[in-house]
Amino acid sequence: MLYQTYLQIHLGNIRANIQEIQKRVGANRKVMLALKANAYGHGAVQVARMAEEIGIDWFGVATVPEGIALREAGVKANILKFGPVFQDAIEAAMLHDITLTVCDKENAQTLQTVAAQLGKHAKIHLKVDTGMGRIGVSVPEAPELARFIEQDCPDLDLEGIYTHLPVSDIKDQSYTKAQVERFKKVIEEIETKLSREIAWKHCANSGAVLGHEDAWLNMVRPGIMLYGYYPDKETPHTVPLKPGLSFYSSVIFVKKVRAGTPIGYGQTWVAPRDTWIATIPAGYGDGFNRLLSNRGRVLINGRSYPVVGRVCMDQSMVDLGPETDVKVEDIVVLIGKSGEEEITCDEMADLLDTITYEITSQINPRVIRYYDEDGVRD
Ligand SMILES: Cc1ncc(COP(=O)(O)O)c(C=O)c1O
């Protein structure tokens, strides 16, 4: 085995999740897949290729290089860069046919100038801040910005308008409902001002796909649910989801230690009895978080073992107990199933007081990704 720590990406499960989303929102709506941060760690190119095969033709990325990487891999679908683009990246983005986000007049003017220089028509989506407080033109200023793009930027094609929903995943639906109403109203105002329809209107992240039918418009924009996780425990589980990945390592060293033996940096764990310790070649340099020190657990041959001592950059130790048959090269499950036992991504996120988004997107590039089709480890 060249790689001792690896991810098994369950592409078949991700495909099934996408198809469940399509079923929920209906065939008359587009589904734009959020593929930013390497598809939340799952591999943007592989997810995009699989998704194109089942007819998905919209992807969202966070950066221009993420979009270019998809183009260089042969992805033909529309790619929207969420968020404004820096001046230096505009030309590359346009040459790679990446749809750009506009939030203000200055940015629109700069995009127009570059598009004219390149002799290209650039597709853009207008981002409106209806209550996220992150980026976007304010609601009162949005119609004038739309007019400016339409009338004063002849090389920009305003084909989309979108907003983002910060609390679509919680039980209290009132804030999101008000936001969606605001968004619909501003779309109406813009369409009246331009005397035409905007082709694509979108705001539904996973929380809204699951719980806010009024937010679906003619395109939805899910991320985390593609990969098999609900954005929050409170979000209605209206779509069945299957996990997009399992995270594996292997035992590289087993030793018996006497009671009183300190283990690892800082000597934060001292063997309370004679015991067997396994070392695994996965640490925070792989995305196995250091906060799992003395708190996390792993599965080996269907049994659960606690992480003892501090998680190192490349290695971690687990306590196998006084009797063990665990041996070098046994598979270690960091996230996933082993026999009857399972460590879910949600369990790890809860333990680390974070969200599944952070767990999967922080599994580092040196961890090789293997892609299966049927969800079974090969
Ligand atoms: C602009 C935008 N749209 C859609 C998404 C997908 O959100 P989620 O992963 O919660 O479905 C994100 C991710 O946060 C985003 O930033």
Side-chain angles (χ1 to χ4, degrees), residues 152-217:
D152 299 341
C153 301
D155 298 303
L156 302 187
D157 294 340
L158 179 57
E159 63 159 32
I161 176 164
Y162 71 114
T163 194
H164 200 49
L165 308 173
V167 285
S168 60
D169 54 350
I170 65 167
K171 211 179 230 151
D172 181 351
Q173 299 206 329
S174 54
Y175 189 87
T176 302
K177 279 200 184 307
Q179 245 192 304
V180 172
E181 279 315 305
R182 256 194 310 281
F183 186 46
K184 284 181 177 167
K185 224 165 127 212
V186 78
I187 293 172
E188 211 180 290
E189 263 182 71
I190 288 172
E191 291 186 333
T192 305
K193 203 168 189 113
L194 305 189
S195 305
R196 70 169 177 93
E197 268 199 36
I198 306 275
W200 304 115
K201 301 146 196 174
H202 48 105
C203 64
N205 50 6
S206 296
V209 168
L210 291 159
H212 289 269
E213 211 166 322
D214 54 330
W216 294 350
L217 304 172

Coordinates of all heavy atoms in Angstrom, one line a residue, residues 152-217:
D152 N -25.4 50.3 -19.5 CA -24.0 50.9 -19.7 C -22.9 49.9 -19.8 O -21.7 50.3 -19.9 CB -23.7 51.8 -18.5 CG -24.8 53.0 -18.4 OD1 -25.4 53.2 -19.4 OD2 -24.9 53.6 -17.3
C153 N -23.2 48.6 -19.7 CA -22.2 47.6 -19.9 C -22.6 46.6 -21.0 O -23.1 45.5 -20.7 CB -22.0 46.8 -18.5 SG -21.6 47.9 -17.1
P154 N -22.4 47.0 -22.2 CA -22.9 46.3 -23.4 C -22.3 44.9 -23.5 O -22.8 44.0 -24.2 CB -22.5 47.2 -24.6 CG -21.5 48.1 -24.1 CD -21.7 48.3 -22.6
D155 N -21.1 44.7 -22.9 CA -20.5 43.3 -23.1 C -20.7 42.4 -21.9 O -20.1 41.3 -21.8 CB -19.0 43.5 -23.3 CG -18.7 44.3 -24.6 OD1 -19.2 43.8 -25.6 OD2 -18.1 45.4 -24.5
L156 N -21.6 42.9 -21.0 CA -22.0 42.0 -19.8 C -23.4 41.5 -20.0 O -24.3 42.3 -20.3 CB -21.9 42.7 -18.5 CG -20.5 43.3 -18.1 CD1 -20.5 43.9 -16.7 CD2 -19.4 42.3 -18.3
D157 N -23.6 40.2 -19.9 CA -24.9 39.6 -20.0 C -25.4 39.3 -18.6 O -24.9 38.3 -18.0 CB -24.9 38.3 -20.9 CG -24.5 38.6 -22.3 OD1 -24.7 39.8 -22.7 OD2 -24.1 37.7 -23.0
L158 N -26.4 40.0 -18.2 CA -26.9 39.8 -16.8 C -27.9 38.6 -17.0 O -29.1 38.8 -17.3 CB -27.6 41.0 -16.3 CG -28.3 40.9 -14.9 CD1 -27.3 40.5 -13.9 CD2 -28.9 42.3 -14.6
E159 N -27.5 37.4 -16.6 CA -28.3 36.3 -16.8 C -28.8 35.6 -15.5 O -29.6 34.7 -15.5 CB -27.6 35.2 -17.7 CG -26.4 34.6 -17.0 CD -26.0 33.3 -17.6 OE1 -26.3 33.0 -18.8 OE2 -25.5 32.4 -16.9
G160 N -28.3 36.2 -14.4 CA -28.7 35.6 -13.1 C -28.8 36.6 -12.0 O -28.1 37.6 -12.0
I161 N -29.6 36.2 -11.0 CA -29.6 37.1 -9.8 C -29.7 36.1 -8.6 O -30.5 35.1 -8.6 CB -30.8 38.1 -9.8 CG1 -30.9 38.9 -8.5 CG2 -32.1 37.4 -10.1 CD1 -31.7 40.1 -8.7
Y162 N -28.9 36.4 -7.5 CA -29.0 35.4 -6.4 C -28.7 36.1 -5.1 O -28.3 37.2 -5.0 CB -28.1 34.2 -6.6 CG -26.6 34.4 -6.6 CD1 -25.8 33.8 -5.6 CD2 -25.9 35.2 -7.5 CE1 -24.4 33.9 -5.5 CE2 -24.5 35.3 -7.5 CZ -23.8 34.6 -6.5 OH -22.4 34.7 -6.4
T163 N -29.1 35.3 -4.0 CA -28.8 35.8 -2.7 C -28.5 34.6 -1.8 O -28.6 33.5 -2.3 CB -30.1 36.6 -2.1 OG1 -29.7 37.3 -1.0 CG2 -31.2 35.7 -1.8
H164 N -28.2 34.8 -0.5 CA -27.8 33.7 0.3 C -28.5 33.8 1.6 O -28.8 34.8 2.1 CB -26.3 33.7 0.5 CG -25.7 32.4 1.0 ND1 -26.0 31.2 0.3 CD2 -24.9 32.1 2.0 CE1 -25.4 30.2 0.9 NE2 -24.7 30.7 2.0
L165 N -28.8 32.6 2.2 CA -29.7 32.5 3.3 C -29.0 31.9 4.5 O -28.6 30.7 4.6 CB -30.9 31.5 3.0 CG -31.6 31.8 1.7 CD1 -32.6 30.7 1.3 CD2 -32.4 33.2 1.8
P166 N -28.7 32.7 5.6 CA -27.9 32.3 6.7 C -28.5 31.4 7.7 O -27.8 30.7 8.4 CB -27.5 33.6 7.3 CG -28.6 34.6 7.0 CD -29.0 34.2 5.6
V167 N -29.9 31.4 7.7 CA -30.5 30.5 8.7 C -31.6 29.7 8.2 O -32.6 29.4 8.8 CB -31.1 31.4 9.9 CG1 -29.9 31.9 10.8 CG2 -31.9 32.6 9.4
S168 N -31.4 29.2 6.9 CA -32.5 28.4 6.3 C -32.5 27.0 6.9 O -33.4 26.2 6.7 CB -32.2 28.2 4.8 OG -30.9 27.6 4.6
D169 N -31.5 26.7 7.8 CA -31.4 25.3 8.3 C -32.0 25.2 9.7 O -32.0 24.1 10.3 CB -30.0 24.8 8.3 CG -29.0 25.8 9.0 OD1 -29.4 26.9 9.3 OD2 -27.8 25.4 9.2
I170 N -32.5 26.3 10.3 CA -33.0 26.2 11.7 C -34.5 26.1 11.7 O -35.2 26.3 10.7 CB -32.6 27.5 12.5 CG1 -33.2 28.8 12.0 CG2 -31.1 27.6 12.6 CD1 -33.1 29.9 12.9
K171 N -35.0 25.8 12.9 CA -36.5 25.5 13.0 C -37.3 26.7 12.8 O -38.3 26.7 12.1 CB -36.7 25.0 14.4 CG -37.9 24.0 14.5 CD -38.0 23.5 15.9 CE -38.1 22.0 16.0 NZ -37.7 21.4 17.2
D172 N -36.9 27.9 13.3 CA -37.7 29.1 13.2 C -37.5 29.6 11.7 O -36.4 30.0 11.3 CB -37.2 30.1 14.2 CG -38.0 31.4 14.1 OD1 -38.8 31.6 13.1 OD2 -37.8 32.3 14.9
Q173 N -38.6 29.5 11.0 CA -38.5 29.8 9.5 C -38.7 31.3 9.2 O -38.6 31.7 8.0 CB -39.5 29.0 8.8 CG -39.2 27.5 8.9 CD -39.8 26.7 7.8 OE1 -40.7 27.1 7.2 NE2 -39.1 25.6 7.5
S174 N -39.0 32.1 10.2 CA -39.5 33.5 9.9 C -38.5 34.4 9.2 O -38.8 35.1 8.2 CB -40.0 34.2 11.2 OG -39.0 34.1 12.2
Y175 N -37.2 34.3 9.6 CA -36.2 35.2 9.0 C -36.0 34.8 7.5 O -36.0 35.7 6.7 CB -34.8 35.1 9.8 CG -33.8 36.1 9.3 CD1 -33.8 37.3 9.9 CD2 -32.9 35.8 8.3 CE1 -32.8 38.3 9.5 CE2 -32.0 36.7 7.9 CZ -31.9 38.0 8.5 OH -31.0 38.9 8.1
T176 N -35.9 33.5 7.3 CA -35.7 33.1 5.9 C -36.9 33.4 5.0 O -36.7 33.9 3.9 CB -35.4 31.6 5.9 OG1 -34.3 31.3 6.7 CG2 -35.1 31.1 4.5
K177 N -38.1 33.2 5.6 CA -39.3 33.6 4.8 C -39.3 35.0 4.4 O -39.6 35.4 3.2 CB -40.5 33.2 5.6 CG -40.9 31.8 5.5 CD -42.4 31.5 5.9 CE -42.7 30.0 6.0 NZ -42.3 29.3 4.8
A178 N -38.9 35.9 5.3 CA -38.9 37.3 5.1 C -37.8 37.7 4.0 O -38.0 38.5 3.1 CB -38.6 38.1 6.4
Q179 N -36.7 37.0 4.1 CA -35.6 37.2 3.2 C -36.0 36.8 1.8 O -35.8 37.5 0.8 CB -34.4 36.3 3.6 CG -33.2 37.0 4.0 CD -32.0 36.1 4.1 OE1 -32.1 35.1 4.8 NE2 -30.9 36.4 3.4
V180 N -36.7 35.6 1.7 CA -37.1 35.2 0.3 C -38.1 36.1 -0.3 O -38.1 36.5 -1.5 CB -37.7 33.7 0.4 CG1 -38.3 33.3 -0.9 CG2 -36.6 32.7 0.9
E181 N -39.0 36.7 0.6 CA -40.0 37.6 0.1 C -39.3 38.9 -0.4 O -39.6 39.4 -1.5 CB -41.0 38.0 1.2 CG -42.1 37.0 1.4 CD -42.7 36.6 0.1 OE1 -43.2 37.5 -0.7 OE2 -42.7 35.4 -0.2
R182 N -38.3 39.3 0.4 CA -37.5 40.5 -0.1 C -36.8 40.2 -1.4 O -36.8 41.1 -2.3 CB -36.4 40.8 1.0 CG -36.7 42.0 1.9 CD -35.5 42.5 2.6 NE -34.7 41.5 3.4 CZ -35.1 41.0 4.6 NH1 -36.2 41.4 5.2 NH2 -34.3 40.1 5.2
F183 N -36.3 39.1 -1.5 CA -35.6 38.7 -2.8 C -36.5 38.7 -4.0 O -36.2 39.2 -5.0 CB -34.9 37.3 -2.6 CG -34.0 36.9 -3.7 CD1 -33.1 37.7 -4.3 CD2 -34.1 35.6 -4.2 CE1 -32.3 37.4 -5.3 CE2 -33.3 35.2 -5.2 CZ -32.4 36.1 -5.8
K184 N -37.7 38.1 -3.8 CA -38.7 38.0 -4.9 C -39.1 39.4 -5.3 O -39.3 39.7 -6.5 CB -39.9 37.2 -4.4 CG -39.6 35.7 -4.4 CD -40.9 34.9 -4.0 CE -40.6 33.4 -4.0 NZ -41.7 32.6 -3.4
K185 N -39.3 40.3 -4.3 CA -39.7 41.6 -4.6 C -38.7 42.4 -5.4 O -39.0 43.1 -6.4 CB -40.0 42.4 -3.3 CG -41.3 43.1 -3.4 CD -41.8 43.6 -2.0 CE -42.0 45.1 -2.1 NZ -41.8 45.8 -0.9
V186 N -37.4 42.2 -5.0 CA -36.4 42.9 -5.7 C -36.2 42.4 -7.1 O -35.9 43.1 -8.1 CB -35.0 43.0 -4.9 CG1 -34.3 41.7 -5.0 CG2 -34.2 44.2 -5.4
I187 N -36.4 41.1 -7.3 CA -36.3 40.5 -8.7 C -37.4 41.1 -9.5 O -37.2 41.5 -10.7 CB -36.5 39.0 -8.6 CG1 -35.4 38.3 -7.9 CG2 -36.7 38.4 -10.0 CD1 -35.6 36.8 -7.7
E188 N -38.6 41.2 -8.9 CA -39.8 41.8 -9.7 C -39.4 43.3 -10.1 O -39.7 43.6 -11.2 CB -41.0 41.8 -8.7 CG -42.3 41.7 -9.4 CD -43.4 41.6 -8.4 OE1 -43.5 40.7 -7.6 OE2 -44.2 42.7 -8.4
E189 N -38.9 44.0 -9.1 CA -38.5 45.4 -9.5 C -37.5 45.5 -10.6 O -37.6 46.3 -11.5 CB -37.9 46.1 -8.2 CG -38.8 46.9 -7.4 CD -38.1 47.5 -6.2 OE1 -37.3 48.4 -6.4 OE2 -38.3 47.0 -5.1
I190 N -36.5 44.6 -10.5 CA -35.5 44.6 -11.5 C -36.1 44.2 -12.9 O -35.8 44.9 -13.9 CB -34.3 43.7 -11.1 CG1 -33.6 44.3 -10.0 CG2 -33.4 43.4 -12.3 CD1 -32.5 43.4 -9.3
E191 N -36.9 43.2 -12.9 CA -37.5 42.7 -14.2 C -38.4 43.8 -14.8 O -38.4 44.0 -16.0 CB -38.2 41.4 -14.0 CG -37.2 40.3 -13.7 CD -37.8 38.9 -13.6 OE1 -39.0 38.8 -13.3 OE2 -37.0 37.9 -13.9
T192 N -39.1 44.5 -13.9 CA -39.9 45.6 -14.4 C -39.0 46.7 -15.0 O -39.3 47.2 -16.1 CB -40.7 46.2 -13.3 OG1 -41.5 45.1 -12.7 CG2 -41.7 47.3 -13.7
K193 N -37.9 47.0 -14.3 CA -37.0 48.1 -14.7 C -36.4 47.7 -16.1 O -36.2 48.6 -16.9 CB -36.0 48.3 -13.7 CG -35.3 49.7 -13.7 CD -34.5 49.9 -12.5 CE -34.1 51.4 -12.4 NZ -34.7 52.2 -11.4
L194 N -36.0 46.5 -16.2 CA -35.3 46.0 -17.5 C -36.3 45.6 -18.6 O -35.8 45.3 -19.7 CB -34.4 44.9 -17.2 CG -33.3 45.0 -16.1 CD1 -32.4 43.9 -16.1 CD2 -32.6 46.3 -16.2
S195 N -37.5 45.5 -18.2 CA -38.6 45.1 -19.2 C -38.2 43.7 -19.7 O -38.4 43.4 -20.9 CB -38.8 46.1 -20.3 OG -39.1 47.3 -19.8
R196 N -37.6 42.9 -18.9 CA -37.4 41.5 -19.4 C -37.2 40.6 -18.1 O -36.9 41.1 -17.0 CB -36.1 41.4 -20.3 CG -34.8 41.6 -19.6 CD -33.6 41.3 -20.5 NE -32.4 41.6 -19.8 CZ -31.7 40.7 -19.1 NH1 -32.1 39.5 -18.9 NH2 -30.5 41.0 -18.6
E197 N -37.2 39.3 -18.4 CA -37.0 38.4 -17.3 C -35.5 38.1 -17.1 O -34.8 38.0 -18.1 CB -37.7 37.0 -17.6 CG -39.1 37.0 -17.0 CD -39.6 35.6 -16.9 OE1 -38.8 34.7 -16.6 OE2 -40.8 35.4 -17.1
I198 N -35.1 37.9 -15.9 CA -33.7 37.4 -15.7 C -33.8 35.9 -15.8 O -34.7 35.3 -15.2 CB -33.2 37.8 -14.3 CG1 -33.3 39.3 -14.1 CG2 -31.8 37.3 -14.0 CD1 -32.2 40.2 -14.6
A199 N -32.8 35.3 -16.5 CA -33.0 33.8 -16.7 C -32.9 33.0 -15.5 O -33.7 32.1 -15.3 CB -31.9 33.4 -17.7
W200 N -32.0 33.3 -14.6 CA -31.8 32.4 -13.4 C -31.9 33.1 -12.1 O -31.2 34.1 -11.9 CB -30.4 31.7 -13.5 CG -30.2 30.9 -14.8 CD1 -29.4 31.2 -15.8 CD2 -31.0 29.8 -15.2 NE1 -29.6 30.3 -16.9 CE2 -30.6 29.5 -16.5 CE3 -32.1 29.1 -14.7 CZ2 -31.1 28.4 -17.3 CZ3 -32.6 28.1 -15.4 CH2 -32.2 27.7 -16.7
K201 N -32.7 32.6 -11.2 CA -32.9 33.2 -9.9 C -32.7 32.1 -8.9 O -33.3 31.1 -8.9 CB -34.4 33.7 -9.8 CG -34.7 34.7 -10.9 CD -36.1 34.6 -11.3 CE -36.3 35.3 -12.7 NZ -37.6 35.2 -13.3
H202 N -31.8 32.3 -7.9 CA -31.4 31.3 -7.0 C -31.0 31.7 -5.6 O -30.3 32.8 -5.5 CB -30.4 30.3 -7.6 CG -29.2 31.0 -8.2 ND1 -27.9 31.0 -7.6 CD2 -29.0 31.7 -9.4 CE1 -27.1 31.7 -8.3 NE2 -27.7 32.1 -9.4
C203 N -31.4 31.0 -4.6 CA -31.0 31.3 -3.3 C -31.1 30.1 -2.3 O -30.6 30.2 -1.2 CB -31.9 32.4 -2.7 SG -33.7 31.9 -2.5
A204 N -31.5 28.9 -2.8 CA -31.7 27.8 -1.9 C -30.5 26.9 -1.7 O -30.1 26.1 -2.6 CB -32.9 26.9 -2.4
N205 N -29.9 27.1 -0.6 CA -28.8 26.3 -0.1 C -29.4 25.0 0.4 O -30.7 24.8 0.4 CB -27.9 27.0 0.9 CG -28.7 27.6 2.0 OD1 -29.9 27.5 2.1 ND2 -28.0 28.4 2.9
S206 N -28.6 24.1 1.0 CA -29.2 22.8 1.5 C -30.4 23.0 2.5 O -31.4 22.4 2.4 CB -28.1 22.0 2.2 OG -27.1 21.6 1.3
G207 N -30.2 24.0 3.4 CA -31.3 24.2 4.4 C -32.6 24.5 3.7 O -33.7 24.1 4.1
A208 N -32.5 25.3 2.6 CA -33.7 25.7 1.9 C -34.2 24.7 1.0 O -35.5 24.5 0.8 CB -33.5 27.0 1.1
V209 N -33.4 23.8 0.4 CA -33.9 22.7 -0.4 C -34.7 21.8 0.5 O -35.7 21.3 0.2 CB -32.7 21.9 -1.0 CG1 -33.1 20.6 -1.6 CG2 -32.0 22.8 -2.1
L210 N -34.2 21.6 1.8 CA -34.8 20.7 2.7 C -36.1 21.3 3.3 O -37.1 20.5 3.5 CB -33.8 20.3 3.8 CG -32.7 19.4 3.3 CD1 -31.5 19.5 4.3 CD2 -33.1 18.0 3.2
G211 N -36.1 22.6 3.6 CA -37.2 23.1 4.4 C -37.9 24.4 3.9 O -38.8 24.8 4.6
H212 N -37.5 24.9 2.7 CA -38.2 26.1 2.3 C -38.5 26.1 0.8 O -37.8 26.6 -0.1 CB -37.2 27.3 2.5 CG -37.0 27.7 3.9 ND1 -37.8 28.6 4.6 CD2 -36.2 27.3 4.8 CE1 -37.4 28.8 5.8 NE2 -36.4 27.9 6.0
E213 N -39.7 25.5 0.5 CA -40.1 25.3 -0.9 C -40.2 26.7 -1.6 O -40.0 26.8 -2.8 CB -41.5 24.6 -0.9 CG -41.6 23.8 -2.1 CD -42.8 22.8 -2.0 OE1 -43.0 22.3 -0.9 OE2 -43.5 22.6 -3.0
D214 N -40.6 27.7 -0.8 CA -40.8 29.0 -1.4 C -39.5 29.6 -1.9 O -39.5 30.6 -2.7 CB -41.4 30.0 -0.4 CG -40.6 30.1 0.9 OD1 -40.0 29.0 1.3 OD2 -40.6 31.1 1.6
A215 N -38.4 29.0 -1.5 CA -37.1 29.6 -1.9 C -36.5 28.9 -3.1 O -35.4 29.3 -3.6 CB -36.1 29.5 -0.7
W216 N -37.2 28.0 -3.7 CA -36.6 27.2 -4.8 C -36.5 28.0 -6.1 O -35.6 27.7 -6.9 CB -37.3 25.9 -5.0 CG -37.3 24.9 -3.9 CD1 -36.5 25.0 -2.8 CD2 -38.1 23.8 -3.7 NE1 -36.7 24.0 -1.9 CE2 -37.6 23.2 -2.4 CE3 -39.0 23.1 -4.4 CZ2 -38.2 22.0 -1.9 CZ3 -39.6 21.9 -3.9 CH2 -39.2 21.4 -2.7
L217 N -37.4 28.9 -6.4 CA -37.4 29.7 -7.6 C -37.1 28.8 -8.8 O -37.7 27.7 -8.9 CB -36.4 30.8 -7.5 CG -36.6 31.7 -6.2 CD1 -35.5 32.7 -6.0 CD2 -38.0 32.4 -6.3

